[in-house]
Amino acid sequence: MNPMAAAAGEHDDELATCIVVDFWANGFGMRVRIALHELRVGFGFVEEDLRIRERSDLVLTMNPVHRSVPILIHRGRPICGSINILEFIDEVWGKRVDTRLLPADPLDRARARFWADFVDHKVFNTQTRFLKSKGEEKEVVKEELLDQLKCLEGVLGDRSFFSGDKFGFLDIVLIPFSSMFRGYEQHGGFDLNAECPFLMQWVKRCKEKESVRQVLPDEGEMYELHKKWYGIE
Amino acid sequence: MNPMAAAAGEHDDELATCIVVDFWANGFGMRVRIALHELRVGFGFVEEDLRIRERSDLVLTMNPVHRSVPILIHRGRPICGSINILEFIDEVWGKRVDTRLLPADPLDRARARFWADFVDHKVFNTQTRFLKSKGEEKEVVKEELLDQLKCLEGVLGDRSFFSGDKFGFLDIVLIPFSSMFRGYEQHGGFDLNAECPFLMQWVKRCKEKESVRQVLPDEGEMYELHKKWYGIE
């Protein structure tokens, strides 16, 4: 696929200089695309099909250490790791549109990064174990996953977004997970609106954002893909 | 122990506002102390003995999610996770002494963060598996560990420090690992000076820094502690 074939964003001047390599259903990569849309950075998109075991030459060249996506290629140079890419995007383009993704205050920034790490190293791990689990184990991991979502709901509190009044870094980090929420409900037999009503209202608010709507995939397709991936019957 | 009992750093004005909770042999926590010394921030130190299974009330209160150290308590508010704390220290105190830990250029910052993540999620994991391994498995993991150290040596290249001419973020992230290097050699039966000569010269250069010398523990004591921890005979 031609890197330039799928173009997105309002600023065409960045188009030739900014390419995202990613798989449509990769929650980590969705973050990058949402952030670029949010800061109105035009980018080319190269699909890397993660259902195939082999990685493309582009990925092997641009991320030889981890051989993973997303990769942001900016002026020919790769930036890897979704959180790392978000920091880069914020530092390069955040000032231009006067919309920084991370908060200004160092303590608020530290809190946002702390919870981003929690999402990546706790929630993602629990999601994977949950979707792979069956029977009694499923009940145990389900409770763990719900506890973590409720913990995040506590972090959100009564604010509109994790960053306060406006959609920002931690919102972008977490919102891609919501595309698996219907899958959670079907796999675990529960209603997230009943379990985490405030978090679900936050999801709804995020989905009103154009940047999010453009990127989040269909929840049904996401669950079907993960069913195949994890051998869910 | 009184949080104020052990004071360090040249600026006493920060003393009452900045406390590090850590265990002397915790490589992640050494980073925090080196960074504070480097930016001349005074701090109180509270020892958390990780050899004891139970965590102190202070740790349970300040880091209820992970119950781990290091924790930096700044004006009564906790910042957790060593990389997160380094970013915080850089943002709060880096400007004051005109010595930012992270580079200024966004791409250089992204590279430094990428390799910091590599150290935390690859090298640390390999170190742990190596120190726990025996017999044939030990030989396999030893090669893996040496490959990763050589990879980092390649990142260093012919520069004096990972940040270039001056000691910075990635140097601080990696240098605590060097306090286990003698342990690696004893456990694996090899000579790091022969395997990674440039990396070992970098270690020597770092140890010339007062901030590093004040924090790095005795390598023999470190290996003795890890021998007990991992049941090494």
Side-chain angles (χ1 to χ4, degrees):
Chain A
M1 186 185 176
N2 182 332
M4 297 296 109
E10 292 80 1
H11 288 268
D12 285 345
D13 56 322
E14 300 287 354
L15 197 57
T17 63
C18 206
I19 297 163
V20 174
V21 189
D22 195 18
F23 179 52
W24 67 268
N26 178 18
F28 297 104
M30 291 175 207
R31 294 168 173 174
V32 173
R33 287 175 277 148
I34 292 170
L36 290 171
H37 284 308
E38 194 61 22
L39 299 191
R40 296 178 202 162
V41 183
F43 60 95
F45 183 74
V46 180
E47 178 91 356
E48 176 81 7
D49 193 339
L50 295 186
R51 288 166 297 193
I52 300 167
R53 187 171 284 272
E54 280 75 37
R55 294 284 74 83
S56 68
D57 287 345
L58 184 66
V59 168
L60 296 178
T61 306
M62 290 293 174
N63 191 3
V65 173
H66 300 298
R67 303 171 177 210
S68 62
V69 292
I71 305 169
L72 176 69
I73 306 175
H74 183 239
R75 295 180 181 154
R77 290 172 300 189
I79 301 104
C80 304
S82 69
I83 298 292
N84 198 13
I85 298 172
L86 290 189
E87 297 258 11
F88 178 83
I89 290 172
D90 199 26
E91 288 169 7
V92 172
W93 293 288
K95 272 179 196 156
R96 192 180 65 176
V97 290
D98 196 26
T99 307
R100 300 303 297 258
L101 301 178
L102 275 157
D105 178 69
L107 188 69
D108 292 337
R109 293 165 74 85
R111 282 189 182 143
R113 290 180 178 127
F114 175 87
W115 289 110
D117 183 81
F118 177 81
V119 170
D120 280 11
H121 296 105
K122 293 278 179 185
V123 182
F124 179 69
N125 178 294
T126 310
Q127 171 187 290
T128 306
R129 284 189 296 118
F130 171 61
L131 292 173
K132 284 180 174 174
S133 67
K134 290 177 184 177
E136 267 181 52
E137 194 206 345
K138 194 203 273 188
E139 290 308 305
V140 175
V141 188
K142 182 180 96 177
E143 288 308 317
E144 209 177 305
L145 183 63
L146 284 173
D147 281 351
Q148 289 174 353
L149 293 178
K150 284 173 188 170
C151 175
L152 288 168
E153 192 171 46
V155 174
L156 177 66
D158 57 4
R159 292 175 301 172
S160 296
F161 295 104
F162 281 94
S163 306
D165 288 338
K166 74 185 198 50
F167 181 77
F169 176 80
L170 188 53
D171 302 292
I172 294 175
V173 166
L174 185 60
I175 192 63
F177 278 71
S178 74
S179 58
M180 277 308 296
F181 282 0
R182 195 179 296 173
Y184 292 178
E185 292 178 322
Q186 290 190 16
H187 187 63
F190 55 80
D191 176 6
L192 274 172
N193 280 308
E195 299 283 352
C196 312
F198 297 104
L199 194 68
M200 296 309 279
Q201 283 167 25
W202 164 82
V203 171
K204 213 172 156 187
R205 270 193 295 278
C206 290
K207 284 184 177 171
E208 286 165 9
K209 306 231 36 130
E210 182 62 22
S211 61
V212 175
R213 250 203 322 267
Q214 279 184 268
V215 172
L216 287 202
D218 179 81
E219 292 187 42
E221 282 181 47
M222 276 294 275
Y223 187 47
E224 285 307 314
L225 180 82
H226 282 77
K227 273 165 87 171
K228 279 184 200 157
W229 240 329
Y230 297 132
I232 301 169
E233 285 146 20
Chain B
M1 185 184 175
N2 182 332
M4 298 294 111
E10 291 80 2
H11 289 268
D12 285 346
D13 55 324
E14 301 286 353
L15 197 57
T17 62
C18 206
I19 297 162
V20 174
V21 188
D22 194 18
F23 179 52
W24 66 269
N26 178 18
F28 297 104
M30 291 175 208
R31 295 167 172 174
V32 173
R33 286 175 277 149
I34 292 170
L36 289 170
H37 283 308
E38 194 62 21
L39 299 190
R40 296 178 202 161
V41 183
F43 60 94
F45 183 73
V46 180
E47 178 92 356
E48 178 79 8
D49 193 339
L50 295 186
R51 288 166 297 194
I52 300 168
R53 188 171 283 272
E54 280 75 37
R55 294 284 73 83
S56 67
D57 287 345
L58 184 66
V59 168
L60 296 178
T61 306
M62 290 293 173
N63 191 4
V65 173
H66 300 298
R67 302 171 178 211
S68 62
V69 293
I71 305 168
L72 176 69
I73 306 175
H74 183 237
R75 293 180 182 153
R77 289 172 301 187
I79 301 106
C80 304
S82 69
I83 298 293
N84 197 13
I85 297 172
L86 290 190
E87 296 260 10
F88 178 84
I89 290 172
D90 199 26
E91 289 169 6
V92 172
W93 293 288
K95 273 179 197 156
R96 191 179 66 177
V97 289
D98 196 26
T99 308
R100 298 303 296 260
L101 302 178
L102 275 157
D105 178 69
L107 188 68
D108 292 338
R109 292 165 74 83
R111 283 188 181 141
R113 288 180 179 128
F114 175 86
W115 289 110
D117 182 82
F118 176 81
V119 170
D120 280 11
H121 296 106
K122 293 277 179 185
V123 182
F124 178 68
N125 178 294
T126 310
Q127 170 188 288
T128 306
R129 283 189 297 118
F130 171 62
L131 293 173
K132 283 180 175 175
S133 66
K134 292 177 184 176
E136 269 180 49
E137 194 206 344
K138 195 203 271 188
E139 289 307 306
V140 175
V141 188
K142 182 180 96 177
E143 288 309 317
E144 209 177 306
L145 183 63
L146 283 173
D147 281 350
Q148 290 174 353
L149 293 178
K150 284 172 188 172
C151 175
L152 288 168
E153 192 171 45
V155 174
L156 177 65
D158 57 4
R159 292 175 302 172
S160 297
F161 295 103
F162 282 94
S163 306
D165 287 338
K166 75 186 198 46
F167 180 77
F169 176 80
L170 189 52
D171 302 291
I172 294 174
V173 167
L174 185 60
I175 193 62
F177 278 72
S178 74
S179 58
M180 277 308 295
F181 283 0
R182 195 177 297 172
Y184 292 179
E185 292 179 320
Q186 291 190 16
H187 187 62
F190 55 80
D191 176 6
L192 275 172
N193 280 308
E195 300 282 353
C196 313
F198 297 105
L199 194 67
M200 295 309 279
Q201 282 166 28
W202 164 83
V203 170
K204 212 172 158 187
R205 270 193 296 279
C206 290
K207 285 184 177 171
E208 286 165 9
K209 306 235 28 135
E210 181 63 22
S211 61
V212 175
R213 250 203 323 266
Q214 277 184 269
V215 172
L216 288 202
D218 179 81
E219 292 187 42
E221 281 180 49
M222 276 295 274
Y223 187 46
E224 285 307 313
L225 180 83
H226 282 76
K227 273 165 88 171
K228 278 184 201 158
W229 239 330
Y230 297 133
I232 300 169
E233 285 145 18

